[in-house]
Amino acid sequence: MKRVRVKICGITREADARAAVTAGADAIGFVFYADSPRHVDLDEALAISRSMPPFVARVALFLDAAAADVQAVIDRVRPSMLQFHGRETPEYCRAFDMPYIKTVPMGEADADPAAWAGAYPEAHGLLLDANRAGAAGGQGQRFEWHNDTALPDMPLVIAGGLDADNVGAAIRRFAPYAVDVSSGVESAPGVKDPERMHAFVDAVTRAG
Ligand SMILES: O=C(O)c1ccccc1NCC(=O)[C@H](O)[C@H](O)COP(=O)(O)O
């Protein structure tokens, strides 16, 4: 059985993208949210994308962006898929005719992934993160891994405060399709650490 997939998000430099792939990442994420320390512009994302080897997914991440801004990224960067991290409606998400994953803000007390799956049936997956609705991710914080949370029959990506030390427990708790990490493999916001990326993927492989 294929190991749990790994997305390393918040890539801002070509060297970090290459190191992520060398470590075994299946996907890298570009953050198109101006207030993030991991924000990249279209030309930066395009240059990194052009440096990538084949068969690595490139995820373009947005938080309540203007539709025109999303389309500009699609047209110029040609990402593999989109990630909507804010309060984007199902109609907004499907309007781009691109595969997408929708973030579920597990920082909300009543977060119900099964309900989100029902509301976004066309999503290619749900990314369960620790943020509150409409708030940024990349905070390095876990959400409460309650044992009674109903999980939908849709590919789940677990995110929020993961690192090489706790990702195995996340995999045992959720049996996810993939895990997503940003802070836990960084030496500074937006600066990825190759050794931490290798340790993270190794931990996923051991657990998966
Ligand atoms: O990473 C960011 O700076 C960010 C900013 C605004 C919206 C979303 C953002 N990241 C979303 C991700 O998918 C992160 O990888 C996820 O929140 C996990 O981050 P971390 O807890 O730092 O591993």
Side-chain angles (χ1 to χ4, degrees), residues 27 33 38 49 52 56 67 83-84 86 90 92 115-116 118 122 128 141 143 152 159-160 163 167 169 173 191 196:
Y33 177 65
R38 305 176 182 94
S49 296
M52 296 293 291
V56 179
Q83 177 180 326
F84 294 117
Y92 171 101
W116 283 81
E122 297 160 335
L128 275 56
Q141 301 296 320
F143 61 88
D163 60 28
V167 69
R173 164 65 185 86
V191 181
R196 291 182 184 175

Side-chain angles (χ1 to χ4, degrees), residues 58-60 74 79-84 93-94 96-102 122-125:
R58 292 165 297 106
V59 182
I74 293 168
S80 313
M81 68 186 321
L82 310 179
Q83 177 180 326
F84 294 117
C93 295
R94 76 166 67 98
F96 303 101
D97 196 21
M98 284 277 292
Y100 72 89
I101 53 179
K102 182 68 188 78
E122 297 160 335
H124 281 233

Side-chain angles (χ1 to χ4, degrees), residues 7-10 31 33 35-39 61-63 83 85 103 127 129-131 135-142 159-162 180-186:
K7 170 179 169 254
I8 295 181
C9 196
V31 175
Y33 177 65
D35 292 341
S36 167
R38 305 176 182 94
H39 173 262
L61 184 154
F62 304 93
L63 193 161
Q83 177 180 326
H85 201 89
T103 296
L127 187 140
D129 200 353
N131 61 303
Q139 302 300 317
Q141 301 296 320
R142 280 178 43 178
L162 298 182
D180 166 284
V181 65
S182 194
S183 306
V185 294
E186 290 181 333

Side-chain angles (χ1 to χ4, degrees), residues 137-152:
Q139 302 300 317
Q141 301 296 320
R142 280 178 43 178
F143 61 88
E144 285 301 318
W145 297 349
H146 297 301
N147 288 323
D148 60 352
T149 302
L151 299 176

